[in-house]
Amino acid sequence: MEIFCTPHTDDIDKWLKENINIYGKKKILHIVPTLILYRRRLQSYRNHYKELFSYKDIDFSAVAKRLEEEGLSLYEMDRFLLQLIKTSPYTVLSKRESTVMIERILERHSFSNNIAWRFSLQDIADCFFTLSQSGLSLEEIRSLDETKSWELICDLYESYLAELSQRSVLDYGQACVRLLQEYDFGNFDMLLLDGAFSSYVAKASNVD
C-alpha cells in the first residue's frame, strides 16, 4: 500500500499523470468523495489522454465511459455505492421510505409521539442514516453517550433496526456497509481512494 498525503489537489493530478498509465493493461478503480473532485479528475484524465477523445467528447459520462473501456473506472463515492445497491440482491429502502418508517416509529412511542419530536424527524432520520453507515453495533452506539436524550434516541434506533429486520430489508447505510464488505476489489489491479474521505488522503493501493 502506498499513501500520498498533500493539502494541494494539483499534487495529486501530477502524481496521477506520472504514475497511472491506462495503456498498461491494468484495471484501475479510482474513487473520489465529491462530484466537484470527480469532474476535476475526469477533466485531468481527458487532458492527459487527448488522443482518446475527439473535440466533441465534452460530456462527462462519455469521457468516463471511454476511460472505462481502457480499464480505468472513475467514480464519485455516492454514485459507486448507488451502483452497488442497484445491482445487489438485497431489498434496500430509499431514504424517503426509511424516513416514513422512522415517523411511524416516533408515533408508536409515547415519549416521542408529540409535535416536538415530529419537527425533529429529518434530524433523527439523518442521525439514523449516519449510525447505520458507521457499521457500529447497537451496544457500541449506546456506549457513545450516557445522557438520557441519547438513551431515548438509541431506543428509537433499536426499534428502527427491529423493523428493518422484520421486513427483511436494509436501509441505505446498512446496504453500503454490507456491499462494501462483500465487494471483490480483487477484480482490480489498483485501487485509488483520492480525497478527504477521513483526512486529506489520496491513497494508491495495489490489490493482491
Side-chain angles (χ1 to χ4, degrees):
M1 178 183 293
E2 298 176 23
I3 298 178
F4 177 37
C5 300
T6 173
H8 306 293
T9 194
D10 288 343
D11 293 339
I12 307 298
D13 276 331
K14 181 180 178 182
W15 185 93
L16 291 170
K17 290 175 183 177
E18 293 175 349
N19 292 273
I20 303 301
N21 176 16
I22 66 173
Y23 300 126
K25 302 303 180 183
K26 287 187 175 182
K27 290 189 66 178
I28 301 168
L29 176 60
H30 185 171
I31 301 176
V32 298
T34 66
L35 279 174
I36 292 175
L37 189 55
Y38 170 81
R39 295 188 180 103
R40 179 181 178 121
R41 295 292 185 251
L42 203 61
Q43 186 63 41
S44 180
Y45 280 128
R46 184 184 185 283
N47 292 341
H48 188 55
Y49 297 104
K50 293 179 181 179
E51 66 278 8
L52 292 176
F53 308 99
S54 71
Y55 71 93
K56 296 180 181 179
D57 288 325
I58 57 175
D59 179 75
F60 284 129
S61 59
V63 173
K65 183 178 180 180
R66 184 70 185 91
L67 289 171
E68 190 166 0
E69 290 171 354
E70 295 295 331
L72 193 154
S73 300
L74 177 67
Y75 286 97
E76 182 265 336
M77 188 64 180
D78 283 344
R79 291 190 176 182
F80 178 70
L81 293 172
L82 186 59
Q83 177 171 300
L84 293 186
I85 289 173
K86 285 182 176 179
T87 58
S88 79
Y90 306 116
T91 301
V92 182
L93 297 184
S94 68
K95 289 187 176 181
R96 173 58 187 160
E97 290 170 328
S98 294
T99 300
V100 171
M101 180 185 292
I102 293 168
E103 183 175 20
R104 291 171 180 168
I105 290 171
L106 293 180
E107 293 172 352
R108 289 206 303 262
H109 287 75
S110 58
F111 69 85
S112 58
N113 187 18
N114 57 65
I115 193 169
W117 283 85
R118 285 196 292 274
F119 274 147
S120 302
L121 173 61
Q122 193 55 57
D123 290 334
I124 295 169
D126 291 341
C127 175
F128 284 10
F129 297 152
T130 299
L131 293 177
S132 61
Q133 281 184 308
S134 73
L136 296 174
S137 67
L138 182 60
E139 292 73 22
E140 290 172 319
I141 290 170
R142 285 190 179 278
S143 69
L144 295 176
D145 199 313
E146 296 181 354
T147 61
K148 181 62 177 178
S149 58
W150 185 247
E151 181 183 343
L152 295 177
I153 288 292
C154 289
D155 289 343
L156 292 171
Y157 184 61
E158 184 173 9
S159 296
Y160 174 64
L161 294 178
E163 185 82 9
L164 292 171
S165 178
Q166 183 178 355
R167 297 190 183 192
S168 298
V169 296
L170 301 175
D171 76 356
Y172 183 84
Q174 290 175 323
C176 290
V177 172
R178 182 174 296 185
L179 291 169
L180 284 174
Q181 290 172 339
E182 295 175 351
Y183 189 74
D184 186 6
F185 288 98
N187 289 327
F188 294 90
D189 300 297
M190 179 175 285
L191 170 64
L192 300 169
L193 298 179
D194 167 14
F197 284 97
S198 52
S199 56
Y200 190 92
V201 176
K203 179 167 64 176
S205 175
N206 288 322
V207 181
D208 295 327

